[in-house]
Amino acid sequence: MGKLDVVGIGNAIVDVISTEEHAFIDDHGLTKGAMTLIDAERASQLYGAMAPAMETSGGSAANTVAGVASFGGAVGYIGKVRDDQLGEVFAHDIRALGVRFEVAPATDGPPTARCLIVVTPDAVRTMNTYLGASTELHPDDIDPDLVGDARVLYCEGYIWDVDITKEAIRKAISICSSAGGTISFTLSDSFCVERHHQEWLDLVDGPIDLLFGNEKEICALYETGDDFEAAVRAVQGRCAVAALTRSARGSVLVTPTEVIEVPAAPAASVVDTTGAGDLYASGFLYGWTRGMDLARCGWLGSLAATETISQFGARPSGSLTHLADAGPAGSHHGESSPPGRSIGA
């Protein structure tokens, strides 16, 4: 097939992460645990109120492809930055991981996007995102050769909020699908699901092969309230695989013929949940592109998610190759890979 395992497309964002007490959430009218879009003025106000912060390249799909690269996969990324300091930081960081990032920076317009992330003592992350230059991603920024070389195209739901970037995603999906690649999509956030509900239902029933989401997001998509099992029944058969994460309860992999429960990997401590879902997708996609069975793909996702929540920030601090160092599917470096538990069709 192609030369690249995964090509991601999403909002190119620099994360600004600080730890705050719970009162900070109420004092500044934040929606705890959610991603809220903000304007430049609100971004400046919040940034000024935050404690000393760590700045690092982020963005959901960018974190996922960075994770696949850390596993040893060959990856590319499509996103838009401005020719400013944060844009240079983003490009340097992602290229240093071995990710192909070739989109030309914007020379005018809004600055590079930034996500202000508040981490409270319970390790929950609350995100407020100024999209800036990331909203300037245009269909012309989609490189047909890069996308056509991908075994998997990984699309970030967050980017669906702007019409021109939506067109860019649709173009990438068409190119990758025509080349025989797998189309994957992450629901990103339950508020995103609500904003784009019918379009995303149509996508799942259409070009999407692999769907990623957590239990809140899949329940929002199929309007089942808090009934996760009903959401599982609703999505079953609508795409090849729905990989649904449930935090400490692990994940559930839904195919047209079976539902597989995969446990969470044990975590010695939880420091910051930022990027847990992004890195779960990294592990799953690395396994998928290596032809591993679904339970093994889910287990690699669990391991990668646990790795990232045990540290500060949304990307692994080191290589993840030790997690991928395995013999036949079902074995793992130094431990057994849980086979997963099938709970019926």
Side-chain angles (χ1 to χ4, degrees):
M1 176 59 197
K3 299 176 182 177
L4 294 173
D5 296 311
V6 179
V7 169
I9 178 171
N11 289 323
I13 296 174
V14 175
D15 289 339
V16 181
I17 310 172
S18 74
T19 55
E20 306 288 350
E21 294 302 318
H22 293 289
F24 188 94
I25 302 294
D26 293 331
D27 291 346
H28 294 278
L30 306 183
T31 303
K32 186 175 180 180
M35 191 288 286
T36 303
L37 296 177
I38 58 174
D39 59 19
E41 181 180 354
R42 174 69 162 158
S44 177
Q45 180 263 321
L46 279 178
Y47 182 77
M50 290 167 68
M54 178 178 73
E55 298 183 356
T56 181
S57 297
S60 176
N63 292 337
T64 295
V65 297
V68 178
S70 294
F71 269 101
V75 294
Y77 180 72
I78 297 170
K80 196 76 169 182
V81 297
R82 176 71 194 272
D83 60 347
D84 54 18
Q85 182 177 356
L86 287 183
E88 291 176 6
V89 168
F90 181 91
H92 173 270
D93 285 357
I94 201 163
R95 288 171 181 153
L97 293 170
V99 179
R100 280 180 59 185
F101 176 59
E102 300 165 356
V103 178
T107 56
D108 56 20
T112 296
R114 67 285 316 267
C115 181
L116 307 179
I117 302 174
V118 172
V119 182
T120 40
D122 54 3
V124 172
R125 84 284 185 272
T126 298
M127 301 181 292
N128 290 268
T129 303
Y130 169 58
L131 291 175
S134 68
T135 65
E136 304 292 307
L137 185 70
H138 191 276
D140 290 345
D141 291 313
I142 304 300
D143 180 349
D145 292 333
L146 183 76
V147 175
D149 272 350
R151 292 185 174 92
V152 178
L153 177 70
Y154 182 77
C155 305
E156 172 188 314
Y158 286 131
I159 205 172
W160 207 264
D161 281 310
V162 180
D163 285 343
I164 195 68
T165 56
K166 191 188 305 185
E167 290 180 32
I169 287 187
R170 290 193 183 278
K171 178 180 177 180
I173 287 173
S174 177
I175 292 169
C176 184
S177 184
S178 296
T182 295
I183 307 301
S184 62
F185 189 90
T186 175
L187 294 173
S188 293
D189 187 279
S190 57
F191 291 101
C192 286
V193 175
E194 291 165 6
R195 287 195 294 273
H196 310 295
H197 183 250
Q198 188 57 52
E199 283 184 291
W200 287 7
L201 284 173
D202 293 341
L203 278 178
V204 176
D205 287 345
I208 294 176
D209 303 301
L210 301 179
L211 179 67
F212 292 91
N214 63 31
E215 54 187 323
K216 282 185 65 177
E217 293 156 6
I218 198 66
C219 287
L221 185 63
Y222 289 100
E223 299 179 307
T224 63
D226 295 327
D227 191 339
F228 176 71
E229 300 302 329
V232 167
R233 292 191 297 271
V235 75
Q236 189 163 31
R238 295 186 177 275
C239 56
V241 182
L244 310 174
T245 56
R246 308 190 75 188
S247 299
R249 298 179 67 180
S251 62
V252 174
L253 309 178
V254 186
T255 78
T257 59
E258 62 182 338
V259 177
I260 303 167
E261 290 186 332
V262 179
S269 63
V270 178
V271 175
D272 174 14
T273 59
T274 307
D278 301 337
L279 268 292
Y280 176 89
S282 299
F284 187 98
L285 290 173
Y286 180 79
W288 176 275
T289 57
R290 294 301 182 276
M292 297 178 188
D293 64 75
L294 288 182
R296 180 64 202 286
C297 292
W299 180 236
L300 287 182
S302 291
L303 291 170
T306 293
E307 189 95 355
T308 198
I309 65 176
S310 64
Q311 63 176 41
F312 203 58
R315 294 184 182 175
S317 57
S319 170
L320 297 178
T321 54
H322 63 288
L323 302 181
D325 182 15
S331 66
H332 181 260
H333 183 65
E335 60 183 289
S336 295
S337 171
R341 183 170 70 91
S342 177
I343 55 176

